[in-house]
Amino acid sequence: MVNKTFSSLEEMQNKQIPSQVSDDIYQFERSFTFKLYFIAGLFFFFGIFFNFPLRNFIEQKLGQALASIPNCPLHYKSLDVTYLFPGAYLQAVTIPGTCTGLPNELQFQELGVHLVGPSFLPPGLRIRLRGKSNTKEVNFYLSQSLSKSVLKIPKTEITAGLLTEIMGQGPMKGTITMEGLAEFSKNNLLKLDFLAESDNFALFPMNIQSFILPEINFATLLLKAHSDNGKLITLDALTLGGPNSVIQINAQGKVWLNTTSLQTSSLDITGDVKFKPAFLEQFSILNLLLASKQNNNGTYRFSVKGPLTSPTPSLL
């Protein structure tokens, strides 16, 4: 019996007893601790997010920033902030002419800006700008870097009614398809490419130097312009009307841009205009004035010069 006891003790001594706990246990504890801290951090974040008035704080700061823009008192009904795609939206916005340099104020049902994602050309952030009226919504995309901004107008169809709603007046009707690209540096225009087209463009009756023109259905509209330095905009093509229009205009010209006050910018446009005989017969005085100015091909050479908002037309 004693011998059997001693032999069992020897067997127990010969067995190797592990000197430390398996590493798997520590890995489990570290993983569990990380998850615990992570969940606690989430609860802490959501606790601050839902209990601290963050939205009110941001809206208050944005409202103060908008109100402090020099010589540009924006008027709006309400301001809303979004988090999923960080951005801000203004409702019932009125932008006075002192902000844009235009003679009239601009009105929008809604103006919004929100972050879309990264921009690669130029490297920076890509921001979406949205303007909405009662009839249409337009979207522009701004790529912002430290040195410059690039504004892209994707191919967009707007109505003349939208322009009337925004500017408060407008002698046009129809739809216009436009697209363009503009580069800025410190609010100064560097480059510009712009194209606008329409196949149902018309002008309402208007008064030109005491001469009342009736409504004119041009149908065709083409405006193509570019700028390589931001100070001089070249009108590569300005076409109004086609073979079936009562008036057909083809012109080119230049616009000297004043970025501080657009209404003081000046233009110099020259081109040719052609009238249908039936149109001239309705206006005998116009026919009398144009008789000595007609070219061999039936067109009349003209120029439009002066301030952008009130240019003066003349026959050459």
Side-chain angles (χ1 to χ4, degrees):
M1 182 70 179
V2 176
N3 293 334
K4 185 178 294 184
T5 302
F6 279 111
S7 61
S8 59
L9 288 173
E10 290 178 356
E11 290 177 359
M12 292 176 62
Q13 291 176 353
N14 291 333
K15 289 183 178 180
Q16 295 183 354
I17 300 176
S19 59
Q20 60 183 3
V21 182
S22 173
D23 291 338
D24 293 340
I25 297 178
Y26 287 98
Q27 291 176 0
F28 171 77
E29 290 181 350
R30 286 194 292 267
S31 175
F32 177 77
T33 303
F34 172 77
K35 292 178 180 179
L36 188 61
Y37 278 113
F38 179 74
I39 294 173
L42 284 179
F43 277 110
F44 177 77
F45 172 78
F46 285 115
I48 293 180
F49 184 81
F50 287 107
N51 292 285
F52 184 76
L54 184 61
R55 178 187 293 272
N56 294 336
F57 176 78
I58 294 175
E59 290 178 356
Q60 181 182 5
K61 292 298 181 182
L62 283 176
Q64 293 174 355
L66 291 172
S68 64
I69 300 176
N71 301 320
C72 185
L74 293 180
H75 303 285
Y76 56 91
K77 182 178 180 180
S78 62
L79 168 64
D80 188 31
V81 176
T82 60
Y83 295 107
L84 181 60
F85 295 99
Y89 293 90
L90 299 173
Q91 305 292 333
V93 188
T94 299
I95 305 176
T98 54
C99 300
T100 61
L102 296 173
N104 301 307
E105 63 184 19
L106 304 181
Q107 297 180 357
F108 293 89
Q109 182 182 354
E110 180 181 280
L111 276 182
V113 52
H114 77 258
L115 180 65
V116 176
S119 169
F120 299 101
L121 289 175
L125 298 176
R126 190 165 185 253
I127 300 169
R128 177 189 176 193
L129 308 174
R130 186 180 73 173
K132 186 179 180 181
S133 73
N134 293 322
T135 57
K136 194 70 175 177
E137 176 181 315
V138 293
N139 294 281
F140 301 155
Y141 291 91
L142 178 67
S143 297
Q144 181 67 53
S145 69
L146 294 177
S147 59
K148 67 177 181 178
S149 306
V150 177
L151 179 66
K152 181 179 181 181
I153 305 174
K155 195 170 185 178
T156 304
E157 184 180 270
I158 64 172
T159 63
L162 172 64
L163 298 178
T164 302
E165 289 179 27
I166 293 175
M167 303 182 67
Q169 62 179 1
M172 303 169 290
K173 71 176 184 179
T175 57
I176 302 172
T177 301
M178 65 178 185
E179 58 183 319
L181 189 71
E183 294 185 14
F184 298 88
S185 178
K186 297 180 180 179
N187 296 326
N188 294 319
L189 181 65
L190 299 178
K191 293 181 65 176
L192 172 71
D193 284 292
F194 181 78
L195 176 66
E197 297 177 291
S198 176
D199 57 6
N200 60 359
F201 183 75
L203 290 178
F204 290 124
M206 64 180 66
N207 187 334
I208 301 179
Q209 293 185 335
S210 301
F211 185 79
I212 307 299
L213 279 178
E215 179 177 321
I216 302 174
N217 182 17
F218 288 101
T220 301
L221 165 69
L222 172 64
L223 173 61
K224 186 177 181 181
H226 81 277
S227 176
D228 295 324
N229 57 21
K231 297 180 181 179
L232 176 64
I233 298 178
T234 301
L235 300 178
D236 301 301
L238 174 58
T239 300
L240 286 168
N244 297 323
S245 304
V246 294
I247 301 178
Q248 186 176 0
I249 299 173
N250 290 287
Q252 301 82 33
K254 300 181 184 299
V255 177
W256 285 268
L257 194 63
N258 185 344
T259 55
T260 58
S261 179
L262 291 179
Q263 58 185 347
T264 60
S265 300
S266 60
L267 57 81
D268 185 354
I269 298 175
T270 56
D272 297 296
V273 57
K274 187 174 183 178
F275 301 94
K276 287 285 188 181
F279 179 83
L280 291 177
E281 290 175 1
Q282 296 178 7
F283 303 95
S284 56
I285 297 179
L286 179 62
N287 194 12
L288 182 63
L289 293 173
L290 295 176
S292 60
K293 301 289 185 178
Q294 189 176 36
N295 298 321
N296 295 331
N297 58 359
T299 62
Y300 302 89
R301 192 73 175 167
F302 73 92
S303 69
V304 180
K305 297 182 180 181
L308 188 63
T309 55
S310 56
T312 302
S314 61
L315 290 173
L316 300 178

